[in-house]
Amino acid sequence: MFNLESFCGELWSQIEINTLGDYKICCLANYAKDYGMAHDDNGKVMNVLTHSFNDALNGKWQRAVRLNDVNNNNAWHDICACCREREAATGGSPMHPHASRRQSMERRNPSTLPVNPDNFTQTDMDAQGYVPWNPTTLDIRFGNLCNQSCVQCGPHNSTQWYEEAVGYSKSKEVRWGFGKQHFRLERDQHNRLHIPNEVKWWESPVWWEKFEALLPTLEHIYLTGGEPMIVPAHDEMLDRIIASGYAKNIYLDYDTNLSVINDKLAQRWNHFKHVEIAGSMDAAYEPFNLIRTGNWEVFKRNVQRIKEYEADGIVKLHRLTSCAQISTSHTLFETEDWVGEQGIPFQVKFIDYPLMHNLASLPRAAKEELVEYYSSRNTDAVNTVRNWLINHMDSDNIPAAREYIKFMDYLDSTRNTNWRSVLPGTWTLLNKYVV
């Protein structure tokens, strides 16, 4: 019998490819020590250049969660804590506008999930959780090239973060990792920071051969980055799909900062079955510029441009999103109001790591004050954040909250900003409970 409450069809049909070309169970699987990376039987992290899509779909974590779906009815697997916690905050309804990723995908495009609670008994999964098919959904990040350096991000997802990451660490190099894989930044002969011996897997014919072979059965591609709209491999991917004749069968799904939108992209999109765009904004007005290092006027203009593209019936700006984090503790109301004025759905996400940005790191008294503050407004977005805070009331990390202050002060020194002035509610809260 299936675990209907926590069953996730994506574990049966999807694989993530991270910025390094490594396979991963899901973009939200950050609670495991190895970040949910897909490993082969020898414990090696699987990569698009060395392993097949079927190999990845049968990685350790994929098999473990599928078996959990079957054998532990109504029990969440620990690696799925992100969706579990979101559903605890929303009440668990798949129709909630802030539903979890698994619920959102099942609701928005169920045809991309060929395995579901109704047809599981007809599948060919064996007793160890292995399946013989390829994924119908790909979650792709063509490297970490980006044109913004959001305060909650880092060098793993944005090239714009390189200099500040090194400067803040006060080290000649910065190291970070995805599970067992660890990488570092070093300076080249021109004193520019780079990843030594970086493999640009998206330029390899091995990748493109595998990708094109998958197209006859591929139904859905989720794209983020970095910033997907500025990566040459993204445009090449669209052109290859269009040339193959399979574009009409494929649904594109973006998370983008909406900084680069143009008619040439829209012309490509019109070849596809459907294109859904989620615009990442975090905050509105001046806080947007501070948190995302973006241009608020450009963002507003591109929101309107996407809405104009909707007239053809292919493209849809299906939501604007904000990452609930310490920096947005007191900007949620004005952000929600602005989005509502545009007539666009609004969704909040939650920052887990780094811990210094996680709202759960705040001391209990600070979270209690935020809960009271959010209680003055009764909307789905605000109630979701309020319930999430209540569910994390006893999981503070005061050193991490103090690190946030130190970190934001450093960014002020490099970006010529004043976070205390732009985010006065956040600073008042921290000054009262953390300093």
Side-chain angles (χ1 to χ4, degrees):
M1 181 178 180
F2 263 99
N3 175 357
L4 301 183
E5 292 188 15
S6 58
F7 169 78
C8 180
E10 291 195 19
L11 277 302
W12 298 78
S13 61
Q14 179 219 261
I15 196 70
E16 177 192 338
I17 302 168
N18 73 7
T19 58
L20 303 168
D22 293 332
Y23 294 118
K24 185 179 176 183
I25 185 174
C26 171
C27 64
L28 302 179
N30 298 319
Y31 286 80
K33 290 182 178 180
D34 63 1
Y35 290 86
M37 305 307 297
H39 294 86
D40 63 20
D41 291 338
N42 297 317
K44 181 181 179 181
V45 174
M46 292 192 261
N47 186 277
V48 295
L49 301 183
T50 58
H51 292 78
S52 71
F53 291 120
N54 179 259
D55 290 336
L57 200 58
N58 287 306
K60 177 186 70 173
W61 287 117
Q62 283 80 356
R63 288 185 284 114
V65 179
R66 286 197 293 266
L67 290 172
N68 185 76
D69 279 345
V70 178
N71 299 323
N72 296 307
N73 192 45
N74 295 324
W76 286 87
H77 194 286
D78 287 343
I79 203 171
C80 302
C82 186
C83 282
R84 180 187 65 206
E85 293 182 3
R86 175 175 283 272
E87 292 179 29
T90 62
S93 170
M95 302 308 296
H96 196 286
H98 303 273
S100 67
R101 177 179 173 84
R102 75 170 186 109
Q103 291 175 322
S104 177
M105 284 306 306
E106 290 177 20
R107 182 186 73 227
R108 285 161 49 206
N109 203 42
S111 68
T112 67
L113 302 173
V115 178
N116 57 60
D118 296 327
N119 67 11
F120 167 73
T121 55
Q122 283 76 50
T123 66
D124 296 326
M125 185 181 79
D126 68 17
Q128 287 74 46
Y130 287 92
V131 296
W133 56 81
N134 282 319
T136 57
T137 291
L138 291 182
D139 175 339
I140 305 177
R141 291 153 174 76
F142 286 118
N144 63 343
L145 180 65
C146 192
N147 55 0
Q148 295 183 1
S149 51
C150 305
V151 298
Q152 71 272 20
C153 195
H156 51 294
N157 282 327
S158 174
T159 50
Q160 294 296 309
W161 253 106
Y162 284 2
E163 288 291 343
E164 287 177 324
V166 170
Y168 185 69
S169 69
K170 297 181 180 179
S171 172
K172 292 183 179 180
E173 62 179 39
V174 170
R175 293 177 179 269
W176 73 92
F178 299 95
K180 295 180 180 180
Q181 300 268 66
H182 285 83
F183 300 86
R184 69 185 187 277
L185 293 172
E186 290 183 355
R187 295 196 181 276
D188 62 18
Q189 65 269 30
H190 304 293
N191 203 37
R192 292 177 299 199
L193 288 167
H194 71 294
I195 302 173
N197 303 315
E198 179 182 15
V199 176
K200 296 183 178 181
W201 55 271
W202 56 89
E203 296 178 353
S204 169
V206 173
W207 151 252
W208 289 116
E209 288 171 9
K210 290 181 179 180
F211 177 75
E212 291 184 327
L214 190 66
L215 289 178
T217 56
L218 191 61
E219 297 184 11
H220 172 235
I221 304 175
Y222 170 71
L223 293 145
T224 186
E227 170 48 41
M229 305 300 186
I230 68 172
V231 180
H234 163 259
D235 291 355
E236 181 176 354
M237 181 198 73
L238 297 185
D239 290 340
R240 284 175 180 261
I241 297 173
I242 293 168
S244 74
Y246 291 108
K248 63 182 182 297
N249 302 327
I250 295 176
Y251 150 45
L252 300 178
D253 183 9
Y254 290 89
D255 261 316
T256 167
N257 62 30
L258 290 182
S259 61
V260 180
I261 301 296
N262 55 62
D263 293 342
K264 191 173 182 180
L265 265 177
Q267 291 168 4
R268 288 183 170 104
W269 287 336
N270 283 334
H271 291 273
F272 287 82
K273 178 181 179 180
H274 187 49
V275 179
E276 286 197 345
I277 298 173
S280 301
M281 61 181 296
D282 294 332
Y285 310 108
E286 192 176 1
F288 170 92
N289 295 332
L290 181 129
I291 293 171
R292 299 198 64 85
T293 66
N295 184 306
W296 175 240
E297 295 304 317
V298 170
F299 181 84
K300 289 194 299 179
R301 185 166 62 246
N302 283 336
V303 165
Q304 295 307 313
R305 175 170 279 185
I306 293 293
K307 291 178 72 174
E308 292 170 4
Y309 293 153
E310 292 181 339
D312 291 333
I314 300 294
V315 177
K316 182 175 180 58
L317 181 56
H318 77 101
R319 68 187 179 201
L320 296 175
T321 65
S322 173
C323 289
Q325 55 185 300
I326 291 179
S327 294
T328 63
S329 63
H330 288 76
T331 62
L332 178 58
F333 291 2
E334 68 177 7
T335 305
E336 182 181 44
D337 288 344
W338 184 86
V339 175
E341 291 169 2
Q342 315 312 308
I344 302 168
F346 179 56
Q347 186 182 63
V348 291
K349 303 178 181 180
F350 294 90
I351 293 295
D352 298 319
Y353 298 100
L355 290 173
M356 62 180 165
H357 296 291
N358 190 330
L359 284 167
S361 295
L362 293 171
R364 183 184 183 92
K367 283 182 277 196
E368 288 174 342
E369 182 170 315
L370 280 178
V371 167
E372 183 178 358
Y373 169 65
Y374 291 140
S375 296
S376 66
R377 176 176 290 210
N378 183 22
T379 64
D380 288 326
V382 174
N383 289 339
T384 296
V385 179
R386 180 175 57 84
N387 291 339
W388 189 94
L389 284 167
I390 291 171
N391 294 337
H392 292 78
M393 196 60 72
D394 298 318
S395 56
D396 61 55
N397 189 325
I398 307 304
R402 288 176 178 152
E403 183 71 15
Y404 171 88
I405 298 173
K406 176 184 175 184
F407 178 76
M408 294 298 286
D409 286 345
Y410 169 76
L411 293 186
D412 276 353
S413 72
T414 61
R415 301 180 179 186
N416 194 29
T417 54
N418 187 334
W419 73 271
R420 288 173 172 82
S421 174
V422 177
L423 307 174
T426 296
W427 166 238
T428 299
L429 187 77
L430 294 172
N431 191 40
K432 183 176 180 180
Y433 296 108
V434 176
V435 173

